[in-house]
Amino acid sequence: MMPKLRRLRTASPFQVMLITLFTALALFMSLPIIFIFNHAFKPQNELFLFPPRFFVRHPTLHNFETLFLHASNATVPFTRYLFNSLVVVSLTLVSVVVVSTMAAYVLAKYQFHFKQLIMSLITLSLMFAPETVSIPRYLVINGIGLNNTYLGHILPSLASPVAVFMLVGFISQIPSDLMEAARIDGAGHVGIFVRMILPLSVPAIATISILTFQGVWGDVETSTLFMQKETMRTLAFYVNSLLGGLQNNVAGQNMAAAAGLLIFIPNLIIFLLFQRRVLETMVHSGIK
């Protein structure tokens, strides 16, 4: 802490102004996070106050008790939705990282026919909103019989144009001389990929891991379209269903507030764990 204090004391007025400005901006940006935590602990009467209160005055755990009691009385327990989400997120995350990194490695470091066409199609696919491919996805999943399976959750997210596009740009800046030296030492394609490409691509992999986790953890499309069995649906679908129907517009708000916090916390933890890697992706280019 002492070196940091010395740097602050020797900072110029302009640097002090920047530090103050960015500190105020950081506090402002943190307001939604503070609100989510406060909202989850508000009693029922504070949830509908007008004008609404930002901070909770009488915090309570009743919202969480109601959520788990409601889930225990349901046909499918809360833990089943949570288990499905954990399984789907874990398998999808590993699959996306492996497939995207392998595809990006080939596209970035090898020459082959139709390479430019493939890159153009990947770039073009970034323009499509997820809603535009919902029907084709359903036709594919239903056609190959993956409804009500974990693979039905994973397959739609497996092809990630954003991940491939980001990794291609990152891996392409790794010097090819290193790969050539590894080949001279007897390393094959798999050895170069595992021992060289993957370790050097950790910042980009961390970034796509955050994006993939956030997308899959909060996804309700696969549970809604591809899963007819309630036991195969995820926690995000369950939380979304708490607000569905007129009968839950008032009575379900406290459960939705608690469940919303449970959905948000893993995203926050993942981001805090990998935020430094995300910054490295922006400022580094494979190797200095």
Side-chain angles (χ1 to χ4, degrees):
M1 292 297 295
M2 295 303 296
K4 293 183 179 179
L5 290 175
R6 293 194 190 100
R7 284 198 296 268
L8 287 175
R9 289 172 182 173
T10 58
S12 64
F14 178 72
Q15 290 174 328
V16 172
M17 183 184 68
L18 285 180
I19 293 173
T20 305
L21 177 63
F22 284 117
T23 302
L25 182 61
L27 292 174
F28 178 76
M29 298 285 287
S30 65
L31 289 179
I33 300 176
I34 298 173
F35 177 79
I36 290 175
F37 278 90
N38 277 271
H39 196 65
F41 293 97
K42 288 181 180 178
Q44 189 82 5
N45 61 330
E46 289 189 31
L47 290 173
F48 297 97
L49 286 178
F50 186 83
R53 293 173 181 169
F54 191 86
F55 294 101
V56 57
R57 292 193 176 182
H58 305 286
T60 177
L61 294 175
H62 180 69
N63 297 343
F64 295 92
E65 295 174 2
T66 305
L67 173 64
F68 291 115
L69 182 62
H70 179 273
S72 63
N73 293 332
T75 306
V76 179
F78 179 85
T79 51
R80 178 66 187 188
Y81 294 108
L82 178 60
F83 174 78
N84 288 341
S85 290
L86 293 176
V87 170
V88 170
V89 167
S90 301
L91 295 179
T92 304
L93 194 58
V94 173
S95 301
V96 168
V97 168
V98 172
V99 172
S100 300
T101 309
M102 292 175 66
Y105 169 53
V106 173
L107 290 170
K109 291 301 182 181
Y110 292 94
Q111 298 297 326
F112 53 90
H113 294 295
F114 306 113
K115 174 182 175 178
Q116 293 302 321
L117 176 61
I118 295 174
M119 285 298 302
S120 299
L121 292 174
I122 291 174
T123 306
L124 181 65
S125 64
L126 296 174
M127 301 171 58
F128 291 94
E131 293 79 10
T132 60
V133 295
S134 296
I135 295 177
R137 281 179 175 176
Y138 174 78
L139 294 176
V140 171
I141 297 297
N142 185 65
I144 57 181
L146 293 181
N147 289 17
N148 300 312
T149 63
Y150 286 117
L151 190 56
H153 281 286
I154 298 168
L155 190 61
S157 303
L158 191 58
S160 179
V162 175
V164 175
F165 184 81
M166 183 179 297
L167 283 165
V168 167
F170 197 91
I171 295 176
S172 61
Q173 298 183 56
I174 297 177
S176 299
D177 294 341
L178 286 177
M179 298 171 53
E180 203 59 41
R183 289 192 187 95
I184 294 174
D185 290 338
H189 296 297
V190 176
I192 294 174
F193 176 75
V194 173
R195 298 180 182 180
M196 185 177 298
I197 300 299
L198 285 180
L200 294 176
S201 303
V202 167
I205 291 174
T207 303
I208 66 172
S209 297
I210 292 176
L211 297 176
T212 302
F213 180 89
Q214 291 178 338
V216 177
W217 182 256
D219 178 52
V220 298
E221 179 183 296
T222 54
S223 295
T224 303
L225 297 180
F226 312 141
M227 306 298 144
Q228 288 74 47
K229 294 181 180 179
E230 195 69 23
T231 54
M232 290 303 300
R233 288 170 169 165
T234 59
L235 183 61
F237 175 86
Y238 173 71
V239 172
N240 189 66
S241 66
L242 291 178
L243 295 176
L246 296 176
Q247 71 277 9
N248 289 330
N249 281 350
V250 175
Q253 288 301 312
N254 59 340
M255 293 186 293
L261 179 61
L262 295 179
I263 287 288
F264 171 73
I265 286 178
N267 286 307
L268 179 63
I269 293 174
I270 291 295
F271 178 77
L272 292 177
L273 289 176
F274 294 109
Q275 62 173 333
R276 182 173 297 179
R277 295 297 187 180
V278 175
L279 295 177
E280 289 179 10
T281 306
M282 305 304 172
V283 300
H284 290 264
S285 57
I287 291 181
K288 294 183 179 179

